[in-house]
Amino acid sequence: MKKSNTNAYLALVVVSIFWGTTYLASRIGVRHTHGLMLAGARQTIAGLLLTGFFLLRGYKFPEKFVLSRLFVIGIMMLCLSNGLITWAMQYIPSGLCAIIVATVPIWITIFSYFLVQRTKFTILLITGMLIGLLGVGGIFYDYLSSLTNPEFRFGIFLTMISCVSWAIGSVLTARWALKINFLYGAGFQMLFSGVVMVVIAMLMGYSLPLDSFNTELWGSLVYLVFAGSILGYSSYVFVLNNLPPSLASVYAYINPIVAVLLGWLILQEHLNWTTGISCLVTLGGVYLVNIAVNRNKKQYGTTK
């Protein structure tokens, strides 16, 4: 049990850092193709690699019941979440997108209460979440003037939908606890969602520029496949199966800090003292949320 928890916390660190970098990679990639096509290609390739690996090792094809639930989770967490986030980054900065995604812990805690009921609401937990959101609000404040731009508003709208979808998918993953190797299952989720997004993007008239080699596009795609999908998403699924949903969600507070810093350093996105201080406030919220969840686990026996 201790070893499993240790591995889960290490996986949470991987998710917190590497997923923060994928906002930068996606922002670069959508310069050259539609967000849904980029996300679809990313998940399809990663899904083929993961499922192919396990099938070659002799794993049996999952039952229809398991596949149907993997399909639902994949659509919620990758199509309606990752796909829409990638699309949104055609209109809003990568750092801001990551900041909005930081609201995911709020949604996960709410849906977890009604669907899983494994996390107790305490004053400390609510305080930590409010402090985290206060930090997020401070960062978002600098972008308020951009709301007059319809494309900017559309990008925020897509990101908000993705937050709710990701939260529901995360809670369903914990609630259903499918009897399948978590990496194998993640591969099918990626494959299902990737194919759906590619088809939708093609119906919208978009495609990958296969006739020419673009270093930024293909570098972005390769990074997203291996660092974002195979390493990052697989680690996240492992975390969901070994830690309470509300604790698993704290990565969403750390991702914005990584994304904002990288966006500022590499893409010259907006960053000032307000943003920097707000990031520190957000980290304070993360610390309180962690303490609250750990106390809940000891006091109420909140376990996965």
Side-chain angles (χ1 to χ4, degrees):
M1 185 67 178
K2 289 184 178 180
K3 182 178 179 181
S4 178
N5 282 341
T6 299
N7 291 337
Y9 281 108
L10 290 175
L12 184 57
V13 172
V14 169
V15 174
S16 300
I17 301 300
F18 278 89
W19 267 357
T21 66
T22 59
Y23 288 93
L24 172 66
S26 295
R27 179 68 170 168
I28 292 174
V30 295
R31 292 174 172 176
H32 309 284
T33 188
H34 193 275
L36 282 182
M37 179 57 72
L38 179 64
R42 161 192 177 179
Q43 303 300 354
T44 300
I45 295 172
L48 286 172
L49 290 174
L50 273 180
T51 55
F53 171 77
F54 282 98
L55 289 172
L56 289 174
R57 291 188 62 187
Y59 276 65
K60 295 182 179 180
F61 209 74
E63 299 177 356
K64 290 183 179 180
F65 172 76
V66 175
L67 286 176
S68 65
R69 291 202 162 183
L70 289 174
F71 179 83
V72 172
I73 295 173
I75 294 299
M76 295 300 299
M77 298 185 69
L78 298 176
C79 252
L80 295 178
S81 186
N82 177 258
L84 295 187
I85 284 176
T86 309
W87 185 0
M89 275 187 278
Q90 294 180 214
Y91 310 112
I92 63 177
S94 59
L96 177 59
C97 187
I99 293 164
I100 297 174
V101 173
T103 63
V104 163
I106 300 293
W107 297 106
I108 286 185
T109 302
I110 293 173
F111 289 121
S112 179
Y113 178 79
F114 289 106
L115 299 177
V116 181
Q117 294 185 344
R118 297 179 183 177
T119 301
K120 301 291 183 180
F121 283 100
T122 64
I123 294 178
L124 185 61
L125 177 61
I126 294 174
T127 300
M129 296 172 69
L130 289 177
I131 290 176
L133 288 177
L134 177 63
V136 171
I139 301 171
F140 184 71
Y141 177 79
D142 288 334
Y143 292 94
L144 289 180
S145 60
S146 300
L147 288 173
T148 56
N149 185 335
E151 290 188 345
F152 187 87
R153 292 198 302 270
F154 182 60
I156 292 178
F157 174 71
L158 291 175
T159 308
M160 291 301 299
I161 294 177
S162 73
C163 291
V164 175
S165 299
W166 184 269
I168 295 175
S170 297
V171 174
L172 289 178
T173 298
R175 181 182 182 183
W176 287 341
L178 300 175
K179 305 253 183 227
I180 184 174
N181 180 288
F182 72 93
L183 282 175
Y184 192 30
F188 279 105
Q189 293 173 35
M190 294 176 194
L191 181 58
F192 291 149
S193 63
V195 171
V196 170
M197 285 187 283
V198 168
V199 171
I200 293 176
M202 291 177 66
L203 292 175
M204 293 171 64
Y206 298 100
S207 63
L208 282 174
L210 300 175
D211 55 340
S212 61
F213 182 82
N214 184 297
T215 304
E216 282 194 350
L217 173 60
W218 294 106
S220 167
L221 182 58
V222 169
Y223 185 83
L224 289 171
V225 167
F226 290 99
S229 293
I230 294 180
L231 178 61
Y233 188 68
S234 298
S235 296
Y236 183 64
V237 173
F238 180 75
V239 169
L240 286 178
N241 282 275
N242 289 276
L243 295 175
S246 57
L247 177 57
S249 68
V250 300
Y251 78 90
Y253 286 129
I254 301 174
N255 281 178
I257 297 172
V258 176
V260 167
L261 290 176
L262 289 179
W264 171 63
L265 289 171
I266 299 176
L267 299 179
Q268 286 76 54
E269 292 182 351
H270 182 75
L271 177 61
N272 57 20
W273 281 107
T274 301
T275 301
I277 294 175
S278 297
C279 286
L280 294 178
V281 172
T282 301
L283 279 178
V286 174
Y287 178 72
L288 293 180
V289 168
N290 273 306
I291 292 179
V293 171
N294 287 331
R295 287 184 180 178
N296 280 337
K297 185 175 180 180
K298 292 179 180 179
Q299 183 175 356
Y300 301 103
T302 308
T303 58
K304 171 64 191 74

